Amino acid sequence: DEVIAGFKLTGWAPRTGVFDPDVRRPQLTLDQLKKMTPGLNASILRAVDESPVDQTTEQVWQETWQEVDKGWIRPANSTVGCSVAKRFGLQQGAKTRMIDDFSISKVNHTYGMKERLRVQAVDELCAYLATLMDGANPSSLPRLKGRTFDLKSAYKQYGVDTWHSNFLQICVRDPAGGHGLFNVNALPFGATGNVTGFCEYQMLWPSLAFMD
């Protein structure tokens, strides 16, 4: 139901029963955030407009419009009634990763979690397999075959619910001057809530892929 309706990026994360309990309360209520947004938005827009233009700025602007074409975001004209995050580029080797800073807009401060996310990685997998092999009869060791998945644009496979899609915007520096505003359709890289949604449901899809 959550995948169909889209994920919420404010309020409490749903309890899954998969992760260990660990309560981290929101620092702000949604009503408090709404009262703060006019001042926060003005500050963020001014900071974006005054930021220098370089090659990364050009690339982020181009990729932002590519996201529009893919339906992940959509252009907006006004910040009234919205909370604006700042998008910037982070250079990682030859790749520029686009970050949507929902901390500076205080949206992340309105998100609470009842569990601590812990995603087991390759180290845990190897330890588990080593334990199985150590306890097995050498004459009956199984043949192991593995596969890894590296999902392209992983967060963008999940949507944001309608209310948050209308409430949340990102501001991007326009190399020609000023900025562009965009409403969020897919999970933005930089919001705390998207991590919960992605980790919660991504556990299901690898098993479905193996069943195919």
Side-chain angles (χ1 to χ4, degrees):
D1 291 341
E2 282 186 281
V3 173
I4 294 171
F7 290 96
K8 298 176 174 62
L9 299 180
T10 62
W12 283 98
R15 190 190 302 274
T16 66
V18 175
F19 301 104
D20 293 333
D22 183 24
V23 176
R24 283 176 282 176
R25 298 181 179 279
Q27 301 175 42
L28 294 172
T29 67
L30 187 55
D31 286 339
Q32 289 173 324
L33 175 64
K34 289 179 180 179
K35 294 177 181 178
M36 298 168 64
T37 52
L40 288 170
N41 291 350
S43 176
I44 292 169
L45 265 58
R46 183 169 56 252
V48 171
D49 289 345
E50 295 175 353
S51 61
V53 174
D54 54 21
Q55 184 176 355
T56 300
T57 308
E58 297 273 359
Q59 187 170 356
V60 169
W61 182 250
Q62 292 175 9
E63 291 192 23
T64 296
W65 281 100
Q66 291 174 10
E67 290 194 0
V68 172
D69 294 338
K70 295 174 181 177
W72 296 344
I73 56 177
R74 64 186 190 277
N77 297 318
S78 171
T79 64
V80 175
C82 297
S83 176
V84 180
K86 179 177 69 173
R87 170 170 285 190
F88 62 91
L90 181 64
Q91 202 67 34
Q92 294 182 330
K95 180 180 179 181
T96 300
R97 183 180 294 275
M98 295 193 295
I99 307 297
D100 298 327
D101 189 353
F102 282 90
S103 291
I104 195 174
S105 64
K106 304 298 183 183
V107 169
N108 287 346
H109 292 65
T110 67
Y111 196 76
M113 302 174 66
K114 300 177 182 178
E115 300 170 319
R116 178 181 293 276
L117 299 181
R118 182 174 182 270
V119 181
Q120 297 184 350
V122 175
D123 290 346
E124 286 84 359
L125 175 61
C126 291
Y128 178 65
L129 292 176
T131 300
L132 291 178
M133 301 291 279
D134 289 342
N137 188 321
S139 62
S140 60
L141 287 177
R143 294 187 52 149
L144 300 178
K145 181 178 180 180
R147 169 185 281 184
T148 60
F149 290 87
D150 186 6
L151 299 177
K152 184 178 180 181
S153 304
Y155 284 145
K156 304 304 181 183
Q157 299 183 35
Y158 298 105
V160 175
D161 77 336
T162 301
W163 188 88
H164 286 83
S165 177
N166 293 326
F167 178 64
L168 300 179
Q169 293 182 349
I170 57 173
C171 180
V172 188
R173 181 72 160 100
D174 184 346
H179 60 265
L181 294 171
F182 302 87
N183 278 94
V184 174
N185 294 333
L187 290 180
F189 192 87
T192 301
N194 69 10
V195 181
T196 304
F198 179 79
C199 289
E200 180 179 342
Y201 288 94
Q202 199 55 40
M203 293 179 178
L204 302 176
W205 300 123
S207 61
L208 295 177
F210 279 116
M211 291 171 60
D212 186 17

